[in-house]
Amino acid sequence: MNEMSISTKTQVWIEVCRLEDIPPQGARVVRATLGCVALFRTATDRVFALEDRCPHKGGPLSQGIVHENGVTCPLHNWVVDMETGRAKAPDEGRVRTFPVQVDDGRVLIDRALLA
Amino acid sequence: MSQTKPKKLVVIGNGMAPGRVLDHLFEKAPGAYEVTIFNAEPRVNYDRIMLSPVLSGEKAFEDIIIHDDAWYEKHGVTLHKGKKVMEIDRAERKVVAEDGTEAEYDKLLIATGSSPFVIPVPGKDLSGVVTYRDLDDVDAMLDAAKSGGHVVVIGGGLLGLEAAYGLKRQGMEVTVLHLMPTLMERQLDASAGYLLEKALADRDIKIITRANTKEITGKEGKVAGVVLEDGTALPADIVVMAVGIRPNAQLADDAGLEVGRGILVDDHLRTSDPDILAVGECVEHRGQCYGLVAPLYDMAKVIASNLAGDAAPEYTGSVTATKLKVTGIDLYSAGDFAEAEDREEIVLRDAAGGVYKRLVLKDNRIIGAVLYGDTADGAWFFDMLKKGTDISELRETLIFGQAYAGGSPLDPTAAVAALPDDAEICGCNGVCKGTIVQAISDKGLTDVDGVRAHTKASGSCGTCTGLVEQLLKFTLGDAFQPDAVQPMCGCTDLGHDDVRRLIVAQELKSIPAVVQELNWKTSCGCAKCRPALNYYLLATWPGEYVDDKQSRFINERVHANIQKDGTYSVVPRMWGGITTPDELRAIADVADKFRIPTVKVTGGQRIDLLGVKKEDLPAVWADLNAAGMVSGHAYGKSLRTVKTCVGTDWCRFGTQDSTGLGIMLERFLWGSWTPHKVKLAVSGCPRNCAEATCKDIGVVCVDSGYEIHFAGAAGMHVKGTELLCTVATEGEVLEYVGALMQLYREQGHYLERIYKWADRVGLGVAREQVVENAERRKELNARFVYSQKFMQNDPWAERAQGKDAEEFTSFRLAHLGKVA
């Protein structure tokens, strides 16, 4: 893994992987101290980072089907909006979302939130 | 009737009852009357029963108009909108409205309807206390709902509950107060009331029974809350009173007509003044006042006939049936169901399925019916109730409904076909089967809208639309094309068949091509359509289409079954259920090496390794591959297992080598993707130990050869197979089964099992194309064989060798770089 990182005023960005490491309309998992974080890449190359636990029964969202800015949980088909972390109505619930940046092909997350 | 001057008919009120009188009258005696209507509401005649869907946002006002302005013009009717009649001058034979408008009459029809009853508690006049009666009330509620907040509905009857549901849908916090111990006690018994209460609670509507309202509290002239006798205080931004109705008889009373609870009428709906008639909810007939639409329509028919000069028809009262219009709750009640000495009852309860049915019998006749959860037989029971049919012959199976009576089939069209011509289909408009069938054939009707336009059936509350469709199907046969094709998903209006046809016709070879060319509404499809499209493209363009793994459900993407804890299960193929000591040893070693917690024998004659970590999957597969085992596709919409018995190898009853044939079939079919999973079995004799007759495709060996069965199921539905044909050789079995598989692969909708496909297209299609037409069979089989050339690569071996490696690895934060 590349050892580059960028620091801003309030956040410390660290590189997790390259954009191409995540398949389009797919996901990768980052194992962090607090649990697993799912990194999603949409068809338009937007990247989202969410806690890898469906608000319903804790299903691994990273294993779901990615469509537009949503992901469908593989266990019971809840749809989670990757932008807000909210479950699509009529289901109710929310997963944690984490700030993520794509810079020159590098996928960066805020280390403070993960460590 | 003379052709001279038309008589003057004045109507007070413009609701559904007088509207229906005029409909009939203009049909029977056009031009006989010059009609003037006074309407206190400032609008045309609309369908009051449909106010609840307007409140819940499921319909708009325009959708529920019965007579538009053009109708009044066409029939030369003078409509005084927003003019309330204040006086009937019987001596001068004229009526006078609030603003002084007068109209003389030869015949006067009073249809003043009813008013909601407002309970006399302190605070009833506060702003924000509304009733539920007309469009103004609905507008007031919708207006209040805009800002959200709490609503208290007083009254747990039909109207109150519909109001509660509508306001819940509009986003408000809803509490229903009901004085009695159970909801809708006039229509339901306690059990059904309880089920209803539970269903509403599931919809987040709070119900308080035995609730006696003490006062409505206010703040600055506006509603703030409701206090009950027991001291309970509830916050409220609006209060809806829905405790009942009271006939509007004041005007008639003032005019000196005889009045009880309502305006008293005889069997010709005449008041104590024979030139003054009354219809609808303002009427009291034989001691009864009605608040449902069906009796009003019965009255309307009689009045129209009498006015048109036919004095014979009489109104003798109505037996009423009730349905609750709350989406997702099926409830039906009719007749009388109080308990009494001389009554018996038949009850069916299915607590898990949420079904409750109760029939009340007296002298072997149905006098009351309550149906909850499954109301399909409501019309049938109601028909027998009204006719007083002796049910002693049917008694054993009566509660199971019409489908079981006399062994007639379960098919809904057949059930409708079995109804007598005078069975009522549309309760709201009193339209019976014979009338609908005749209209369909006489007027050449082909769809529900046509039937609605000509007979009014299904035109009011709409709950009988399904029955009307069945009647169209029964009358027209295959010529009936239900207009609404179920779209594949929200991304498109096209159904599965259209999408499959257009993929071929326009040579679409990728998901983006389909999304683009067929004008998908979303940018790249959804989790519902993408797996379907991926399958359709794969099945249509074998060898050309590149599988899109991101459009596959996780199990098919990683070739293992996801479990509830995020681990996976692994099922290697055991051809025909045969294994060896070496294979078993390899499975045991894998289980030990990867600490796999559970090893289980499946129903499909193989072994399931449960609890495998995702990152271990490629290594597990590599070890299984090394022992000669491949993927069992236990995770796929694909060929699963071929179950066998031991056949002539061992069994003293075996007629053929069922094990050998099972292995041959599995080796022929494995790897193929299908609309849904496909399970086979081969039994060596009719004792059928492999249970072949509940499989998607089953073979039963007999002395003379092989029976090929199909379209069975033993999952959510249990269904025996249908016999396709009997063939003589194993080679023929392979050819017929290959052709059948291909036909299903080409015609099936994604996620449609073989039995559902066969049910949709008809069993005859498979018999015709696979059995009767030899040339077609060979073509189908050839296409299947060609497709298999590209399918029979073990997906496990590919991944054990590194394909999709990123799928099985994750990033660890500990490995990540330091902060700069």
Side-chain angles (χ1 to χ4, degrees):
Chain A
M1 199 66 36
N2 195 320
E3 302 229 339
M4 286 282 301
S5 53
I6 300 167
S7 177
T8 66
K9 240 191 299 179
T10 51
Q11 286 163 321
V12 185
W13 295 100
I14 51 167
E15 180 179 340
V16 211
C17 62
R18 307 277 312 168
L19 182 63
E20 59 264 29
D21 293 329
I22 314 173
Q25 298 192 297
R28 296 297 299 273
V29 177
V30 183
R31 291 177 187 280
T33 333
L34 59 71
C36 289
V37 173
L39 282 180
F40 296 96
R41 174 179 171 190
T42 68
T44 54
D45 286 346
R46 293 188 66 187
V47 175
F48 295 101
L50 276 73
E51 190 184 354
D52 196 13
R53 274 180 62 81
C54 180
H56 177 215
K57 300 251 166 143
L61 293 173
S62 57
Q63 312 298 296
I65 292 180
V66 177
H67 40 92
E68 297 193 324
N69 292 338
V71 58
T72 298
C73 177
L75 294 197
H76 308 96
N77 293 324
W78 276 39
V79 178
V80 172
D81 182 327
M82 298 191 289
E83 227 152 341
T84 62
R86 286 188 189 282
K88 190 175 153 192
D91 299 324
E92 284 175 23
R94 190 172 191 173
V95 294
R96 252 181 104 176
T97 57
F98 303 101
V100 58
Q101 284 191 358
V102 182
D103 182 68
D104 195 21
R106 296 173 307 156
V107 178
L108 309 169
I109 54 174
D110 181 359
R111 176 163 174 158
L113 292 169
L114 293 176
Chain B
M1 197 165 291
S2 72
Q3 282 297 311
T4 53
K5 219 177 150 195
K7 289 191 201 170
K8 292 194 179 86
L9 173 66
V10 171
V11 184
I12 305 174
N14 194 29
M16 299 174 75
R20 184 53 61 92
V21 170
L22 295 178
D23 266 340
H24 288 306
L25 183 62
F26 293 147
E27 196 182 297
K28 282 177 197 291
Y33 289 89
E34 192 182 297
V35 181
T36 304
I37 303 175
F38 286 86
N39 187 15
E41 273 190 74
R43 49 180 75 86
V44 294
N45 178 22
Y46 61 90
D47 190 343
R48 230 174 266 270
I49 319 175
M50 297 307 272
L51 280 175
S52 292
V54 173
L55 179 61
S56 65
E58 289 159 285
K59 283 200 189 286
F61 176 64
E62 292 70 44
D63 298 333
I64 67 166
I65 290 175
I66 298 175
H67 295 143
D68 56 13
D69 288 316
W71 183 88
Y72 295 96
E73 201 170 312
K74 181 181 159 201
H75 294 283
V77 174
T78 308
L79 172 62
H80 295 298
K81 289 185 201 173
K83 292 189 184 176
K84 192 173 174 191
V85 172
M86 299 306 284
E87 187 197 343
I88 300 169
D89 185 341
R90 288 168 60 196
E92 296 278 326
R93 294 165 74 88
K94 66 175 186 184
V95 300
V96 185
E98 219 166 6
D99 68 342
T101 309
E102 293 187 2
E104 291 178 4
Y105 65 81
D106 296 311
K107 292 276 180 191
L108 176 66
L109 177 60
I110 304 179
T112 43
S114 61
S115 298
F117 186 72
V118 175
I119 49 171
V121 290
K124 69 180 169 55
D125 298 321
L126 287 165
S127 152
V129 179
V130 296
T131 55
Y132 185 19
R133 188 66 200 146
D134 58 28
L135 195 70
D136 293 330
D137 298 331
V138 170
D139 284 342
M141 284 191 260
L142 287 177
D143 206 38
K146 262 185 220 149
S147 43
H150 294 86
V151 56
V152 172
V153 177
I154 303 178
L158 198 66
L159 268 186
L161 296 179
E162 291 186 3
Y165 170 73
L167 289 164
K168 183 74 214 176
R169 291 261 316 208
Q170 297 290 351
M172 298 198 77
E173 293 298 318
V174 181
T175 305
V176 176
L177 304 179
H178 193 53
L179 191 59
M180 306 304 284
T182 60
L183 296 173
M184 286 179 71
E185 76 286 345
R186 282 173 61 195
Q187 290 91 8
L188 297 183
D189 57 12
S191 295
Y194 167 76
L195 285 169
L196 176 61
E197 190 176 328
K198 227 174 73 179
L200 291 166
D202 287 345
R203 284 162 175 74
D204 238 4
I205 294 173
K206 196 172 153 197
I207 309 273
I208 304 178
T209 54
R210 297 189 171 90
N212 201 351
T213 306
K214 187 176 165 200
E215 74 167 303
I216 301 170
T217 56
K219 201 175 170 188
E220 291 156 14
K222 223 192 142 310
V223 167
V226 173
V227 180
L228 305 183
E229 284 292 349
D230 67 3
T232 310
L234 301 158
D237 299 293
I238 53 174
V239 171
V240 179
M241 290 257 190
V243 286
I245 54 169
R246 156 190 287 179
N248 289 332
Q250 194 60 47
L251 185 67
D253 197 15
D254 292 347
L257 298 173
E258 278 178 36
V259 167
R261 267 188 304 153
I263 305 168
L264 295 176
V265 293
D266 64 10
D267 289 356
H268 290 286
L269 287 312
R270 281 183 304 223
T271 65
S272 51
D273 177 339
D275 283 328
I276 302 181
L277 310 165
V279 68
E281 292 177 348
C282 59
V283 156
E284 179 179 337
H285 173 261
R286 295 192 187 179
Q288 283 281 342
C289 293
Y290 294 99
L292 295 167
V293 72
L296 317 189
Y297 285 176
D298 291 343
M299 295 177 197
K301 271 187 202 164
V302 173
I303 292 190
S305 298
N306 293 172
L307 283 174
D310 176 4
E314 292 187 348
Y315 177 70
T316 54
S318 303
V319 188
T320 56
T322 311
K323 272 183 193 175
L324 180 72
K325 286 178 291 303
V326 170
T327 306
I329 298 181
D330 291 323
L331 196 156
Y332 186 97
S333 90
D336 177 2
F337 34 82
E339 281 175 40
E341 284 277 311
D342 56 349
R343 296 176 177 182
E344 300 167 275
E345 56 179 23
I346 304 177
V347 175
L348 175 105
R349 274 178 218 274
D350 173 0
V355 173
Y356 170 80
K357 301 184 189 185
R358 175 160 166 250
L359 295 176
V360 180
L361 308 178
K362 188 176 173 181
D363 304 328
N364 284 321
R365 280 166 178 81
I366 300 176
I367 61 163
V370 184
L371 308 177
Y372 185 94
D374 174 7
T375 55
D377 286 305
W380 188 61
F381 291 135
F382 190 48
D383 187 50
M384 290 194 286
L385 185 154
K386 283 200 298 187
K387 286 188 189 145
T389 310
D390 186 327
I391 53 83
S392 22
E393 297 274 304
L394 300 170
R395 196 180 167 121
E396 295 281 293
T397 58
L398 185 65
I399 194 84
F400 299 117
Q402 187 179 19
Y404 286 86
S408 64
L410 282 158
D411 172 20
T413 311
V416 170
L419 285 173
D421 271 353
D422 57 352
E424 186 172 86
I425 299 294
C426 174
C428 295
N429 294 303
V431 187
C432 60
K433 177 186 157 186
T435 312
I436 298 174
V437 171
Q438 201 183 348
I440 294 170
S441 5
D442 290 359
K443 315 255 191 251
L445 308 179
T446 54
D447 56 17
V448 175
D449 282 342
V451 172
R452 215 168 267 163
H454 284 92
T455 68
K456 301 217 172 334
S458 82
S460 292
C461 82
T463 43
C464 62
T465 306
L467 286 173
V468 172
E469 278 182 357
Q470 295 301 339
L471 277 174
L472 279 158
K473 202 169 155 194
F474 151 73
T475 315
L476 300 174
D478 290 341
F480 174 59
Q481 303 287 337
D483 43 8
V485 173
Q486 193 68 30
M488 241 173 106
C489 64
C491 302
T492 177
D493 294 329
L494 295 170
H496 287 264
D497 283 331
D498 283 330
V499 171
R500 294 207 77 166
R501 182 175 54 78
L502 292 167
I503 285 174
V504 178
Q506 301 189 13
E507 297 197 24
L508 305 175
K509 296 190 179 178
S510 69
I511 291 177
V514 173
V515 167
Q516 183 61 32
E517 297 302 321
L518 303 185
N519 293 315
W520 242 239
K521 297 174 201 165
T522 49
S523 66
C524 48
C526 69
K528 235 175 161 178
C529 62
R530 269 172 41 210
L533 292 177
N534 189 58
Y535 165 71
Y536 293 153
L537 291 162
L538 194 68
T540 311
W541 311 111
E544 278 185 74
Y545 175 69
V546 183
D547 200 302
D548 176 26
K549 76 179 175 102
Q550 300 302 353
S551 292
R552 284 192 180 269
F553 181 59
I554 183 67
N555 291 358
E556 294 186 351
R557 199 185 322 146
V558 302
H559 296 272
N561 291 58
I562 195 164
Q563 302 299 316
K564 67 174 199 178
D565 62 351
T567 65
Y568 288 82
S569 79
V570 167
V571 184
R573 209 166 268 292
M574 281 184 182
W575 308 97
I578 294 291
T579 185
T580 64
D582 281 343
E583 284 184 354
L584 292 174
R585 238 175 251 121
I587 288 171
D589 287 344
V590 163
D592 279 343
K593 180 171 164 187
F594 296 94
R595 300 200 183 140
I596 295 171
T598 300
V599 181
K600 184 184 181 306
V601 175
T602 73
Q605 299 187 337
R606 40 201 199 169
I607 289 173
D608 195 352
L609 299 161
L610 289 135
V612 183
K613 292 190 212 66
K614 192 181 184 191
E615 58 266 32
D616 287 343
L617 286 171
V620 166
W621 295 333
D623 285 6
L624 293 171
N625 281 159
M629 283 176 277
V630 297
S631 166
H633 290 88
Y635 46 79
K637 311 298 173 219
S638 58
L639 188 271
R640 295 282 179 90
T641 64
V642 181
K643 202 171 161 178
T644 68
C645 67
V646 290
T648 42
D649 274 357
W650 295 96
C651 182
R652 65 203 164 97
F653 299 114
T655 62
Q656 309 281 356
D657 176 14
S658 50
T659 323
L661 178 57
I663 293 171
M664 231 189 286
L665 277 167
E666 192 163 350
R667 290 210 179 268
F668 176 46
L669 304 174
W670 81 279
S672 60
W673 296 104
T674 40
H676 208 306
K677 59 188 172 186
V678 175
K679 296 177 174 179
L680 273 75
V682 184
S683 280
C685 78
R687 282 169 192 75
N688 193 15
C689 293
E691 296 161 346
T693 50
C694 62
K695 293 288 182 280
D696 296 287
I697 301 176
V699 178
V700 177
C701 302
V702 290
D703 275 331
S704 58
Y706 307 87
E707 288 175 5
I708 302 177
H709 295 254
F710 77 121
M716 211 140 45
H717 296 98
V718 179
K719 185 182 165 298
T721 47
E722 307 288 337
L723 181 63
L724 181 68
C725 60
T726 304
V727 297
T729 66
E730 288 182 338
E732 283 172 298
V733 173
L734 294 184
E735 182 180 306
Y736 280 68
V737 169
L740 180 61
M741 281 285 277
Q742 187 63 16
L743 191 61
Y744 167 55
R745 294 180 74 233
E746 290 177 8
Q747 293 189 345
H749 294 174
Y750 189 65
L751 298 185
E752 184 174 60
R753 290 287 286 268
I754 287 191
Y755 76 99
K756 292 218 165 146
W757 159 69
D759 189 45
R760 177 170 58 82
V761 302
L763 293 165
V765 171
R767 292 193 176 118
E768 194 184 293
Q769 305 214 18
V770 175
V771 183
E772 287 152 26
N773 187 338
E775 200 180 328
R776 177 86 178 124
R777 173 174 69 244
K778 288 192 195 309
E779 285 166 12
L780 282 165
N781 185 47
R783 284 208 289 280
F784 183 73
V785 171
Y786 175 76
S787 163
Q788 284 296 79
K789 286 206 314 196
F790 307 98
M791 302 295 176
Q792 295 193 321
N793 301 312
D794 177 27
W796 287 358
E798 292 171 347
R799 281 155 189 80
Q801 284 151 27
K803 187 178 179 187
D804 298 343
E806 84 286 347
E807 185 69 63
F808 305 98
T809 53
S810 54
F811 304 121
R812 275 178 203 284
L813 200 62
H815 299 164
L816 298 176
K818 276 201 294 190
V819 180

